[in-house]
Amino acid sequence: MAETANNPAPARAPEAVTTVTIPEEKGAKLEALPAPAPKAKNIPEEKAIIMTTEKAAPALSINALRAKSLSGILAMISFIVSLPILASVIWLLYMRDYDCENLLRLPRLQTGIGIALLFMFIISTAALFLRPKFPMPGFLLAVVPLLVMLTVGLALLGAYDMESRKILASPRWFKLKVDNPNNWNNIKSCIYDTKICDDLFLKSLTVKSYDFTMKKLSPIESGCCTPPAVCGMKFVNATSWIKGDNGAVNNTVPLDSDCDDENKVLDSDCDTWTNDRNALCYDCQACKDGFVRTLESKWRKLGLFLVLMSLFLFVSHLFLFLATMWELVVVKENI
C-alpha cells in the first residue's frame, strides 16, 4: 500500500512540470510581443501625410467646382444673348416690305440675311456643346461667322469710305441706284401707284396752313408730295401751293426737321414743282432723298443690330473659352 501510495507522485510531477513550463513559454512570447513597438513611431508620420492630402484635396475640388459653375453661367449667358438673333430671323422673314422696295431686290437680301442669321444661331448653340471637349474648335466655330456678321453690319451702317456697288443696302449703294434714271423712273411710277400723295391730300382737306406745317410727314410725303420748304410757297392744300415772287423764301414755313446738311434739296426743285397731281415733285431731288431715307432707316437699324449682336456674342464666347481653359487646368491639377 505504501508503494501504491507513492507511485502516483512521480506521475503527477511531470504534470506539474508541464504546467509550469507552459506559462514560461507564454511569458516568453508575451515579452517578445513589445519588440515591434518602434514601428509605432512611424504611425504619426503616415497619419500626417494622409491628413495633409485630405486637406489639399478639398481645396482643389472647390476650385474645380468654381470653374465648372463659372463655365455653366457663361454658357447660359451666351445662349440667352443669342436668342435675339432667333427673334430677328422671324422679324426678317415675316416683316412686310416697304413700298417699292422690291424694285431694288431688297426683299431677297432680307430673306438671305434672315437665313444666314438662323445658321448663326445654330452655329453659336453648337459651339456651346462642343466647348467641354473641344474648346478651341468650338471657339473658332463661333468667332469666324461673328466676324462676317460684324463686317456686314458695318457695311449696312456705311462705315466703309471706299464702298462699292456690290455692298447691297449700304448708303452709297442706295444713292447710286436712285440716281440711275432707269431705276428712278420705275421707283417714281411705283410711288405714284401707291397713292401716298392722294391719301395726304384727303387727310389735309380741312387742315389750315399753320397746322399743316406743324404736321409730321414721312420722308416720301415731304419730299414727293409737297414742295421743298426753302422755296417759300404759300399753302393752299397738301398738293397745291402758290409760288412766291422771285422765289423769295416764306419765313412762315419752317424747314423740314428731317432734312440735314447732306440731304439739302437743290434749287432746281423749286422750279420742278408743279401742282399737277400726276407730277407734283416726283422728279425732285428731295423726293429721291426721301425715298433713300425711308429705306436707310430700316437697313441702318438692321446693321446696328448685327454689329451689337456680333460684339456681344464675341465677348461672351471669349470669356466662355477662357473659363473652359481654366476649368481644364484645375481638373488636371486635381488629378
Side-chain angles (χ1 to χ4, degrees), residues 20-266:
V20 171
T21 54
I22 289 171
E24 289 178 357
E25 291 177 358
K26 288 182 180 180
K29 290 180 181 180
L30 290 173
E31 292 177 358
L33 286 175
K39 293 183 180 180
K41 296 180 180 180
N42 296 330
I43 293 175
E45 296 179 359
E46 294 176 357
K47 287 183 178 180
I49 295 172
I50 293 171
M51 291 181 68
T52 53
T53 54
E54 287 178 353
K55 290 180 180 180
L60 292 175
S61 62
I62 290 174
N63 290 333
L65 211 64
R66 289 176 180 175
K68 288 182 179 180
S69 61
L70 180 61
S71 299
I73 293 172
L74 290 175
M76 183 64 65
I77 292 174
S78 299
F79 178 75
I80 293 174
V81 171
S82 64
L83 288 178
I85 294 181
L86 187 62
S88 67
V89 171
I90 301 173
W91 176 69
L92 287 172
L93 294 180
Y94 293 97
M95 188 185 68
R96 177 179 172 273
D97 300 330
Y98 284 176
D99 293 331
C100 309
E101 192 177 6
N102 59 341
L103 296 176
L104 300 179
R105 299 180 180 178
L106 292 177
R108 294 183 181 179
L109 177 63
Q110 180 176 319
T111 303
I113 293 178
I115 295 174
L117 287 177
L118 179 60
F119 280 105
M120 183 66 240
F121 175 78
I122 295 173
I123 291 173
S124 178
T125 306
L128 299 178
F129 289 100
L130 291 175
R131 173 193 59 84
K133 295 183 179 179
F134 308 101
M136 182 61 73
F139 177 70
L140 294 177
L141 181 65
V143 167
V144 173
L146 286 175
L147 293 177
V148 177
M149 182 176 170
L150 177 63
T151 304
V152 174
L154 292 175
L156 295 179
L157 290 175
Y160 307 119
D161 294 334
M162 301 300 294
E163 286 179 339
S164 64
R165 298 180 182 179
K166 296 181 180 179
I167 303 178
L168 302 178
S170 62
R172 184 170 295 183
W173 183 85
F174 279 127
K175 293 180 180 179
L176 289 174
K177 288 293 183 181
V178 169
D179 289 338
N180 188 327
N182 294 329
N183 291 334
W184 180 246
N185 288 332
N186 295 330
I187 295 171
K188 180 175 63 175
S189 300
C190 178
I191 294 175
Y192 177 79
D193 293 337
T194 57
K195 300 184 183 301
I196 295 177
C197 296
D198 292 339
D199 294 338
L200 180 62
F201 170 74
L202 294 175
K203 292 177 183 178
S204 60
L205 282 176
T206 59
V207 177
K208 296 182 180 180
S209 174
Y210 178 78
D211 295 332
F212 183 80
T213 55
M214 297 301 295
K215 187 177 181 180
K216 181 70 174 180
L217 301 179
S218 67
I220 292 180
E221 288 176 339
S222 62
C224 303
C225 305
T226 61
V230 295
C231 297
M233 297 184 186
K234 295 181 181 180
F235 173 82
V236 178
N237 58 50
T239 58
S240 180
W241 298 73
I242 300 174
K243 294 184 179 181
D245 297 335
N246 298 325
V249 176
N250 186 357
N251 294 326
T252 60
V253 181
L255 294 177
D256 187 2
S257 59
D258 291 334
C259 294
D260 53 15
D261 294 336
E262 295 181 357
N263 293 321
K264 284 183 177 179
V265 297
L266 300 176

Side-chain angles (χ1 to χ4, degrees), residues 260-277:
D260 53 15
D261 294 336
E262 295 181 357
N263 293 321
K264 284 183 177 179
V265 297
L266 300 176
D267 294 337
S268 59
D269 287 353
C270 298
D271 298 328
T272 304
W273 165 263
T274 176
N275 289 326
D276 184 1
R277 299 268 298 274

